[in-house]
Short mmCIF file of all heavy atoms in Angstrom, two decimals:
data_model
loop_
_atom_site.label_atom_id
_atom_site.label_comp_id
_atom_site.label_asym_id
_atom_site.label_seq_id
_atom_site.Cartn_x
_atom_site.Cartn_y
_atom_site.Cartn_z
N LYS P 29 -93.62 -15.48 260.74
CA LYS P 29 -92.18 -15.22 260.59
C LYS P 29 -91.91 -14.63 259.22
O LYS P 29 -92.35 -15.18 258.20
CB LYS P 29 -91.40 -16.54 260.69
CG LYS P 29 -91.38 -17.15 262.05
CD LYS P 29 -90.46 -18.36 262.04
CE LYS P 29 -90.61 -19.15 263.34
NZ LYS P 29 -89.72 -20.31 263.37
N ILE P 30 -91.14 -13.55 259.20
CA ILE P 30 -90.76 -12.98 257.91
C ILE P 30 -89.24 -12.76 257.88
O ILE P 30 -88.58 -12.77 258.92
CB ILE P 30 -91.49 -11.64 257.62
CG1 ILE P 30 -91.05 -10.54 258.60
CG2 ILE P 30 -93.01 -11.81 257.65
CD1 ILE P 30 -91.47 -9.14 258.15
N VAL P 63 -81.43 -11.65 256.35
CA VAL P 63 -80.64 -12.52 255.47
C VAL P 63 -79.44 -11.71 255.02
O VAL P 63 -79.60 -10.60 254.49
CB VAL P 63 -81.47 -12.93 254.23
CG1 VAL P 63 -80.67 -13.87 253.34
CG2 VAL P 63 -82.80 -13.57 254.63
N SER P 80 -84.86 -6.06 268.38
CA SER P 80 -84.94 -4.60 268.26
C SER P 80 -83.53 -3.98 268.33
O SER P 80 -83.18 -3.11 267.55
CB SER P 80 -85.82 -4.07 269.38
OG SER P 80 -85.90 -2.70 269.28
N ASP P 188 -61.12 28.86 233.75
CA ASP P 188 -61.88 29.00 232.49
C ASP P 188 -61.97 27.68 231.74
O ASP P 188 -61.64 27.58 230.55
CB ASP P 188 -61.23 30.06 231.58
CG ASP P 188 -61.40 31.45 232.15
OD1 ASP P 188 -62.17 31.62 233.13
OD2 ASP P 188 -60.76 32.38 231.62
N PHE P 192 -66.66 17.98 232.07
CA PHE P 192 -67.67 16.95 231.83
C PHE P 192 -67.71 16.12 233.11
O PHE P 192 -66.71 15.52 233.50
CB PHE P 192 -67.27 16.07 230.65
CG PHE P 192 -67.35 16.80 229.33
CD1 PHE P 192 -66.29 17.58 228.88
CD2 PHE P 192 -68.50 16.73 228.56
CE1 PHE P 192 -66.37 18.27 227.68
CE2 PHE P 192 -68.59 17.42 227.35
CZ PHE P 192 -67.52 18.19 226.92
N LYS P 233 -70.04 26.66 222.44
CA LYS P 233 -69.68 27.88 221.69
C LYS P 233 -70.58 29.03 222.12
O LYS P 233 -70.14 30.15 222.32
CB LYS P 233 -69.89 27.62 220.19
CG LYS P 233 -68.74 26.87 219.53
CD LYS P 233 -69.01 26.91 218.04
CE LYS P 233 -68.07 26.06 217.25
NZ LYS P 233 -68.63 25.72 215.94
N GLN P 253 -74.41 8.78 223.91
CA GLN P 253 -73.17 9.23 223.25
C GLN P 253 -71.93 8.62 223.90
O GLN P 253 -70.82 8.85 223.43
CB GLN P 253 -73.06 10.76 223.31
CG GLN P 253 -74.13 11.51 222.56
CD GLN P 253 -74.06 11.27 221.07
OE1 GLN P 253 -73.07 10.75 220.53
NE2 GLN P 253 -75.12 11.62 220.39
N LYS P 262 -64.61 13.40 221.87
CA LYS P 262 -65.26 13.72 220.59
C LYS P 262 -65.43 15.24 220.45
O LYS P 262 -65.26 15.80 219.38
CB LYS P 262 -66.64 13.05 220.50
CG LYS P 262 -66.57 11.53 220.36
CD LYS P 262 -67.98 10.96 220.20
CE LYS P 262 -68.09 9.54 220.72
NZ LYS P 262 -69.46 9.09 220.96
N LEU P 306 -98.89 -8.56 255.94
CA LEU P 306 -99.94 -9.00 256.86
C LEU P 306 -101.34 -8.83 256.26
O LEU P 306 -102.26 -9.56 256.61
CB LEU P 306 -99.84 -8.24 258.18
CG LEU P 306 -98.68 -8.67 259.07
CD1 LEU P 306 -98.61 -7.83 260.33
CD2 LEU P 306 -98.79 -10.14 259.46
#
Side-chain angles (χ1 to χ4, degrees):
K29 291 186 190 181
I30 66 166
V63 182
S80 180
D188 291 349
F192 290 85
K233 279 189 188 159
Q253 296 295 346
K262 290 183 208 163
L306 286 177

